[in-house]
């Protein structure tokens, strides 16, 4: 029996309706931007395995750092203990995070990074005797699948079954497509109620919504309004962090600074699950007290796992290298050329580019569901042609590992161009 067949016996896959889905492709090896399945078929990983893997699969530099850490100190509890990898990683991150950030809280995945941010926002107000229980968020946002993160997310079929059990979240439209004035007015009206503990957003790009983009100057206006009203702001950089937008963080395009940032995905270069929520000193101080009950009683067993921290330190070294920064700019330049090439294509509705992110919306005759027929046809076509892409509704996006070669990138473009001719709704 193949791995793919054996897999079906016991494995329950994420975001998968097993009755109607194709069996999972069994991958046996990865190197750079390439993956190979159990039949020896080669694929280009055009989405960096869900946006986690900027430096390529089976990266030796990361593997060596991890091995060294595993044979020095693989894990130690972080309650009452600390270790060099966590200290060094925190120092390193502080040098590149927005200058108002001061304290880091470690966890395991993007959802928990958001969960921590939301809990901190609620307790921040509670500790000061002014409890506020509502969260403000954008429509179509995705912040993760744990309860608070899910409540803040706006993609309804992800969250429908749990509506009665969720935190109260008010959603406002994303300021884009010329609706900026209207959207801002709706946002302002909500902020002025004074009922919100925090405003959470994906800065500049809503990833899971299909790489929807909006302007830094617009977001700056939102953040300065929040500041005026003492409304805490949470930048969910789980997707955008570590170079995806062309800068280290999407927030680097802003003049305003968020109170909290959520980081995960590319943090360890796609090797070890880890996440961080970062905070201003002011937030930390709302928990700093003689009163034990004012502490943040949250933690995870593998918090600040030394091996994960070592992987993150090595990842940051790779990210900061001149070669990697050049790669990011080179991918961006190639995306812009491809955008120009397809700009008048009859099946292209719109193309968005930011940093290494390229998103193409197909002109469709009918509304396309998130996991609809067009999406399924495209997904199967790309796989057949040796490219891993996961379209969202009618949007095809590329988010390649930074180490991708120009030839590999051209092949992705070519397959997308062919799909525009060959794949129907
Ligand atoms: C992926 C993602 C999350 C959730 O991260 P997980 O590691 O999957 O829990 C949260 N926010 C954003 C913006 C994401 O892209």
């Amino acid at each position: 029996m193949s791995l793919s067949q054996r897999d079906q016996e016991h494995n329950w896959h994420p975001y998968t309706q097993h009755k109607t889905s194709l069996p999972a492709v069994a991958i046996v090896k990865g190197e750079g931007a390439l993956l190979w399945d159990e039949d020896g078929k080669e694929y280009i990983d055009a989405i960096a395995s869900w946006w986690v893997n900027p430096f390529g699969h089976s990266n030796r530099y990361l593997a060596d750092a991890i091995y060294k850490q595993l044979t020095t100190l693989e894990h130690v509890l972080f309650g009452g203990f600390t270790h060099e990898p966590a200290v060094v990683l925190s120092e390193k991150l502080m040098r590149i995070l927005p200058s108002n950030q001061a304290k880091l809280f470690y966890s395991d995945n993007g959802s928990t990074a958001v969960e921590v941010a939301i809990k901190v926002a609620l307790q921040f107000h509670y500790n000061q005797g002014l409890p506020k229980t509502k969260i403000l968020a954008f429509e179509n946002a995705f912040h993760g699948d744990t309860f608070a993160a899910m409540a803040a997310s706006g993609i309804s079929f992800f969250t429908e079954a749990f509506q009665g059990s969720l935190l109260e979240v008010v959603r406002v439209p994303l300021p884009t497509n010329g609706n900026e004035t209207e959207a801002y007015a709706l946002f302002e009206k909500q902020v002025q109620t004074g009922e919100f503990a925090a405003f959470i957003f994906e800065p500049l790009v809503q990833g899971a919504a299909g790489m929807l983009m909006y302007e830094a100057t617009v977001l700056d206006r939102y953040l300065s309004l929040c500041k005026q009203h003492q409304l805490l702001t949470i930048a969910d950089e789980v997707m955008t962090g570590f170079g995806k937008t062309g800068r280290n963080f999407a927030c680097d395009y802003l003049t305003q600074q968020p109170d909290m940032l959520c980081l995960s995905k590319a943090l360890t270069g796609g090797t070890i699950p880890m996440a961080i929520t970062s905070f201003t000193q002011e937030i930390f101080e709302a928990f700093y007290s003689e009163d034990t009950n004012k502490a943040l009683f949250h933690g995870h067993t593998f918090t600040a796992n030394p091996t994960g921290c070592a992987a993150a330190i090595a990842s940051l070294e790779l990210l900061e290298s001149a070669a990697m920064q050049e790669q990011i700019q080179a991918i961006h330049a190639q995306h812009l050329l491809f955008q120009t090439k397809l700009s008048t294509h009859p099946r292209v509705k719109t193309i968005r580019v930011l940093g290494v992110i390229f998103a193409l919306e197909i002109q469709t005759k009918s509304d396309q569901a998130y996991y609809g027929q067009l999406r399924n046809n495209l997904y199967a076509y790309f796989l057949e042609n040796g490219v891993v892409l996961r379209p969202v509704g009618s949007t095809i996006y590329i988010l390649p590992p930074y180490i991708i070669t120009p030839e590999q990138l051209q092949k992705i473009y070519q397959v997308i161009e062919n799909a525009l001719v060959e794949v129907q709704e």
Side-chain angles (χ1 to χ4, degrees), residues 111-112 114-115 118 137 141-167 169 171 200:
S111 303
T112 55
V114 168
E115 208 74 18
I118 290 177
F142 180 72
H143 296 294
D145 292 332
T146 53
F147 264 82
M150 175 171 65
S153 299
I155 301 168
S156 62
F157 68 90
F158 276 67
T159 57
E160 235 164 45
F162 314 100
Q163 276 314 323
S165 327
L166 297 176
L167 197 70
V169 176
R171 290 185 190 84
I200 183 166

Side-chain angles (χ1 to χ4, degrees), residues 131-149:
K132 296 185 183 188
T133 52
K134 289 199 217 171
I135 302 291
L136 194 53
F138 280 133
E139 287 169 2
N140 298 313
F142 180 72
H143 296 294
D145 292 332
T146 53
F147 264 82

Side-chain angles (χ1 to χ4, degrees), residues 51 109-112 114 142-144 202 236 238-239 264-265:
W51 326 335
N109 60 71
S111 303
T112 55
V114 168
F142 180 72
H143 296 294
E202 294 157 272
D236 179 354
V238 170
M239 189 284 282
S264 186
K265 293 214 163 104

Side-chain angles (χ1 to χ4, degrees), residues 3 26 34 39 50 69 132 155 167 186 192 253 263-264 284 307 315 326 365 368 372-373 403:
L3 283 174
L34 298 177
D39 301 321
W50 266 343
Q69 188 59 45
K132 296 185 183 188
I155 301 168
L167 197 70
L186 289 171
Q192 283 166 347
Y253 288 93
L263 308 172
S264 186
F284 180 75
T307 313
S315 287
E326 278 164 26
K365 296 182 204 91
Q368 290 298 318
Q373 196 54 50
I403 49 71

